[in-house]
Amino acid sequence: KQPIINSEFSNAWDRVVSDIRDTLKSTGYQNSGFAFIQEASIFNTKILNKLNISAKESLFTVQYKSKNTIVLGAPGPVGILKAVIDNNMGYRDEPLKLFDYGVSIVDDDNNSSTTPKQFHVFKAECVGDTNPVRDAEMILTAYRMLELQGIENLVVNINALGGADSREKYYKELVSKTPKRFKNLYQSLSYNPIQLYTELMSVDTDINIKIPQIVDYLSVEENQYLKSVLEFLDTLDIQYNLDSSLSGSIGFNEGVYFEIISTDDPEVVLVRGGRHNELFELLGGDKNAGAAGIEIYVDLLIQLIQKLEPQKLAPTIKPDVFVASIGLEGQKSALKILSLIQKHGLEVKENFGIKSLKNQLSKAKKSDAEITLIIGRKEAVDGTVILRDKESENQEIIPIDKLISILSKKLSK
């Protein structure tokens, strides 16, 4: 689904972003500041396959000075993983936990007539840990974060995608049992055999083939890894569903993969996550380091809150002070007063675009501001301001140089 930005999104955006950032920080993740721009040359076929991307044309590229092609908003975990590698960030003594928040541009349908989709995404990565408890910890972090946003009936859909050897064996099995008329399809999806099976069944439900699930082609170690992750989730009492049809997504195409949804709207995937061990190695990282990550989709999260329980959207901030002004001289003085109030950290609102004082005062009343300041030509010349107190409904004229101390005193009550 393409996210839609509207006024209710704006009301909730800052709160939700701040909550997610605080949740990640509270569990040891640090802001990484990864590079938004990457050289297109690093995205060879092996990297694209590990990212679960069909072709280089799916990347959002820009020609730079008629020479180099650069990729904007690198897909999946590439930005953070490259930052770890290029900056020699330490992850050998203890796991390195990083996150970032930014725009992700997705266009993987190879259709030139469609517009790339833009999402605002939190990406969190842990580098330097191959233990299955890390996968469970990342699921737990995302799960609790969604609970804090009031999302209910959460379910973790999870599957094992296997490593390179297991996937190759599974792919060969698919090809051996697939009619030759689908040759173009299975050649185009050699990097994702699970998606290939799903595609085959969708284009021809009458295909009379019985193909085992990917789990039947996992190595002993990969099977044990999946079992351990599920046991951790059992310990945490987190509801999960072992879904063998999950074929990964952009950035997740190996190892254990999961998606977190709410059964209130199961079509919306709020969080995706999984392993990037082989991708990290291909990018130039330590072969045995291990990397795992999650992506949290802010647009879709707020959209779900808006749909299910709109009353949970953050309310408009109630201002401490409303500034009303009349005429050009009044506006000049009001602008200086506005700056003065902002410097002292008070919440202030104005409606300079409305000429009528009556309408401005009506807006002030609706805003429920504790104090309304009124400045006209006379007040501007005298260096004063009319202060109207909501509680007492009294008006008084006060000098501008005493405004802040008087406001602080009245608001403290």
Side-chain angles (χ1 to χ4, degrees), residues 321-326 329-330 333-338 340-341 357 361 371-389 394-407 410:
V321 181
F322 189 99
V323 179
S325 59
I326 315 165
E329 295 302 320
S333 182
L335 201 57
K336 291 180 180 179
I337 290 171
L338 187 72
L340 181 65
I341 295 171
L357 178 61
L361 295 179
I371 293 172
T372 299
L373 302 178
I374 305 170
I375 308 102
R377 185 178 184 280
K378 183 178 186 306
E379 288 75 31
V381 172
D382 295 343
T384 60
V385 60
I386 298 173
L387 185 150
R388 177 181 290 182
D389 191 307
N394 292 333
Q395 287 191 178
E396 55 184 307
I397 298 174
I398 60 171
I400 291 177
D401 59 4
K402 294 184 179 180
L403 176 61
I404 295 300
S405 61
I406 292 174
L407 285 177
K410 286 183 176 292

Side-chain angles (χ1 to χ4, degrees), residues 72-198:
L72 303 183
V78 171
I80 295 181
L81 297 184
K82 282 290 288 178
V84 172
I85 296 166
D86 294 345
N87 295 289
N88 295 313
M89 296 184 185
Y91 52 82
R92 290 174 177 82
D93 294 334
E94 62 177 302
L96 180 63
K97 301 172 75 173
L98 301 170
F99 78 89
D100 219 311
Y101 171 60
V103 174
S104 182
I105 303 170
V106 178
D107 180 21
D108 194 38
D109 55 11
N110 295 317
N111 187 339
S112 59
S113 65
T114 61
T115 302
K117 298 178 179 66
Q118 173 179 296
F119 291 87
H120 294 80
V121 183
F122 270 94
K123 299 182 181 185
E125 293 291 325
C126 180
V127 178
D129 192 350
T130 58
N131 195 307
V133 71
R134 179 60 56 197
D135 302 62
E137 180 270 332
M138 302 196 88
I139 292 173
L140 174 64
T141 297
Y143 196 93
R144 296 297 179 231
M145 180 276 299
L146 293 173
E147 285 188 325
L148 288 173
Q149 294 303 321
I151 306 298
E152 299 177 343
N153 303 316
L154 294 170
V155 175
V156 179
N157 291 324
I158 191 168
N159 192 24
L161 306 182
D165 292 341
S166 302
R167 294 163 70 82
E168 184 178 356
K169 291 177 184 177
Y170 186 53
Y171 175 72
K172 288 180 178 179
E173 179 71 9
L174 285 174
V175 172
S176 70
K177 295 185 176 181
T178 299
K180 290 184 178 180
R181 67 180 182 274
F182 295 113
K183 182 177 180 179
N184 289 339
L185 180 61
Y186 62 67
Q187 285 182 340
S188 67
L189 286 172
S190 60
Y191 64 95
N192 194 332
I194 305 174
Q195 185 181 345
L196 171 58
Y197 177 70
T198 304

Side-chain angles (χ1 to χ4, degrees), residues 55-328:
K56 209 165 188 175
E57 288 73 24
S58 299
L59 301 173
F60 194 80
T61 58
V62 175
Q63 195 78 21
Y64 179 66
K65 293 184 178 179
S66 302
K67 287 186 177 181
N68 300 326
T69 302
I70 56 177
V71 175
L72 303 183
V78 171
I80 295 181
L81 297 184
K82 282 290 288 178
V84 172
I85 296 166
D86 294 345
N87 295 289
N88 295 313
M89 296 184 185
Y91 52 82
R92 290 174 177 82
D93 294 334
E94 62 177 302
L96 180 63
K97 301 172 75 173
L98 301 170
F99 78 89
D100 219 311
Y101 171 60
V103 174
S104 182
I105 303 170
V106 178
D107 180 21
D108 194 38
D109 55 11
N110 295 317
N111 187 339
S112 59
S113 65
T114 61
T115 302
K117 298 178 179 66
Q118 173 179 296
F119 291 87
H120 294 80
V121 183
F122 270 94
K123 299 182 181 185
E125 293 291 325
C126 180
V127 178
D129 192 350
T130 58
N131 195 307
V133 71
R134 179 60 56 197
D135 302 62
E137 180 270 332
M138 302 196 88
I139 292 173
L140 174 64
T141 297
Y143 196 93
R144 296 297 179 231
M145 180 276 299
L146 293 173
E147 285 188 325
L148 288 173
Q149 294 303 321
I151 306 298
E152 299 177 343
N153 303 316
L154 294 170
V155 175
V156 179
N157 291 324
I158 191 168
N159 192 24
L161 306 182
D165 292 341
S166 302
R167 294 163 70 82
E168 184 178 356
K169 291 177 184 177
Y170 186 53
Y171 175 72
K172 288 180 178 179
E173 179 71 9
L174 285 174
V175 172
S176 70
K177 295 185 176 181
T178 299
K180 290 184 178 180
R181 67 180 182 274
F182 295 113
K183 182 177 180 179
N184 289 339
L185 180 61
Y186 62 67
Q187 285 182 340
S188 67
L189 286 172
S190 60
Y191 64 95
N192 194 332
I194 305 174
Q195 185 181 345
L196 171 58
Y197 177 70
T198 304
E199 292 285 340
L200 287 169
M201 298 306 291
S202 67
V203 297
D204 190 346
T205 56
D206 295 327
I207 294 178
N208 187 22
I209 54 176
K210 282 192 174 182
I211 301 176
Q213 305 295 345
I214 181 67
V215 292
D216 296 314
Y217 286 81
L218 299 178
S219 68
V220 174
E221 293 78 10
E222 289 166 346
N223 258 312
Q224 183 57 49
Y225 195 99
L226 174 62
K227 182 181 177 182
S228 296
V229 174
L230 299 181
E231 288 176 350
F232 284 125
L233 296 184
D234 287 331
T235 302
L236 295 167
D237 291 325
I238 288 179
Q239 184 180 352
Y240 65 85
N241 172 42
L242 185 57
D243 185 351
S244 57
S245 69
L246 285 183
S247 58
S249 65
I250 292 178
F252 303 98
N253 198 29
E254 61 177 280
V256 170
Y257 170 71
F258 64 88
E259 298 177 351
I260 305 181
I261 64 165
S262 167
T263 55
D264 292 327
D265 195 346
E267 297 301 314
V268 178
V269 177
L270 302 171
V271 176
R272 288 187 171 94
R275 278 278 162 186
H276 318 298
N277 298 355
E278 295 171 10
L279 175 62
F280 185 61
E281 180 186 353
L282 285 172
L283 289 170
D286 188 335
K287 177 180 179 180
N288 300 312
I294 55 175
E295 291 186 351
I296 304 165
Y297 304 106
V298 177
D299 312 70
L300 300 180
L301 174 56
I302 298 175
Q303 193 171 8
L304 184 60
I305 296 172
Q306 176 187 0
K307 176 182 177 181
L308 298 178
E309 296 189 77
Q311 71 275 11
K312 289 186 177 179
L313 294 176
T316 302
I317 297 173
K318 174 185 172 182
D320 298 313
V321 181
F322 189 99
V323 179
S325 59
I326 315 165
L328 181 60

